[in-house]
Amino acid sequence: FSKGLGRNCFSYFTSSMQETAQTRMRLANDLREALSGRQLLVYYQPIVELASGAIHKAEALLRWRHPARGLVGPGDFIHIAEETGLIVDIGNWVFRQAAAQALRWRTAHHPAFQVSVNLSPAQFRGKAGARAPWIDNLRKLGLPGEGIVAEITEGLLLEASTAVFNQLLEFRDAKIQVALDDFGTGYSSLSYLQKFDIDYIKIDRSFVRNLKPAAHDLVLCEAMIVMAHKLGMKVIAEGVETEIQRDLLAAAGCDFGQGYLFSRPVPAGEFERLLSDSLTPPGPSAT
Ligand code: C2E
Ligand code: MG
Ligand code: MG
Ligand code: MG
């Protein structure tokens, strides 16, 4: 079973080892149809300010409502989208959805609301010389760059290509924020944190999973938080599932948390309700 999809989830393959060339080709074709046939959806997972419990941001997470297979998570198809180059069109579509929601939620709920979007390294390569449409999209929508957080991984920074470097500079000029996803799991060359303008690190959930008082993972989280703050970055902890984890992270000074404790990723309409509840000041009970 894929993680995080609840009861309807379906794994395309029991193991990627069993993917034959044929199943991959079928999957690629299905995926092409999914994009044009409106089978792709974006779910949103709240990112909560630990000090207040308020929802400040959302991460946009791709889902595929497959006509025969039900709801499929990105772990089962993103790699095919990347290999076939479909990720460029899919990623642009996700970006437009996320930006439209960000604008809506900033207008209706919270003027500083942000939606974060996962960007694949393949989206930075694109076609030779082609500029990614991200910034034009924002301009057309009238959404300020601060409304979007681009989630990238350490691997992308390791590429250290001119294309990546220029894109990050473009983000900075447009005020699009940048988060380093799955932090601590890559080839953390810490010098990259200085070289690029990174606004957030997202502590990978493998560090959060076993958080206990006096656990080694707590020491690692504390060290990452102190380092990030000293470099002027904010910290989001991924995979927060228990109150103990939340409390330890909050005590360590972690700024934001994301995880099943707060909510699973949900469709936009449901997210909207979470957001209204989160921002409603606790008033006198209606008796
Ligand atoms: P990610 O960016 O690290 O996203 C966080 C993943 O952790 C999500 O899985 C989310 O559902 C899951 N998660 C959140 N809270 C918890 C928790 O408390 N416990 C556990 N066990 N898991 C939690 P999801 O949605 O299956 O996405 C998996 C990965 O697929 C993402 O990891 C991201 O790398 C990629 N992905 C998702 N959407 C997109 C997209 O639009 N474009 C690209 N390029 N990649 C995407
Ligand atoms: Mg992410
Ligand atoms: Mg992550
Ligand atoms: Mg992760």
Side-chain angles (χ1 to χ4, degrees), residues 182-198:
D182 306 329
F183 187 77
T185 59
Y187 315 84
S188 292
S189 169
L190 296 175
S191 63
Y192 288 116
L193 296 178
Q194 285 282 45
K195 206 146 115 208
F196 298 101
D197 198 24
I198 310 284

Side-chain angles (χ1 to χ4, degrees), residues 167-228:
Q167 184 61 63
L168 291 175
L169 286 179
E170 225 187 353
F171 282 165
R172 184 165 70 186
D173 289 344
K175 306 232 161 36
I176 291 177
Q177 307 228 294
V178 176
L180 215 42
D181 205 352
D182 306 329
F183 187 77
T185 59
Y187 315 84
S188 292
S189 169
L190 296 175
S191 63
Y192 288 116
L193 296 178
Q194 285 282 45
K195 206 146 115 208
F196 298 101
D197 198 24
I198 310 284
D199 301 285
Y200 299 95
I201 61 166
K202 297 191 78 172
I203 298 181
D204 189 69
R205 70 165 177 268
S206 56
F207 298 99
V208 174
R209 191 177 298 135
N210 300 313
L211 274 188
K212 284 191 231 22
H216 282 144
D217 281 338
L218 180 59
V219 178
L220 295 180
C221 286
E222 287 168 344
M224 288 188 261
I225 293 163
V226 168
M227 178 193 68

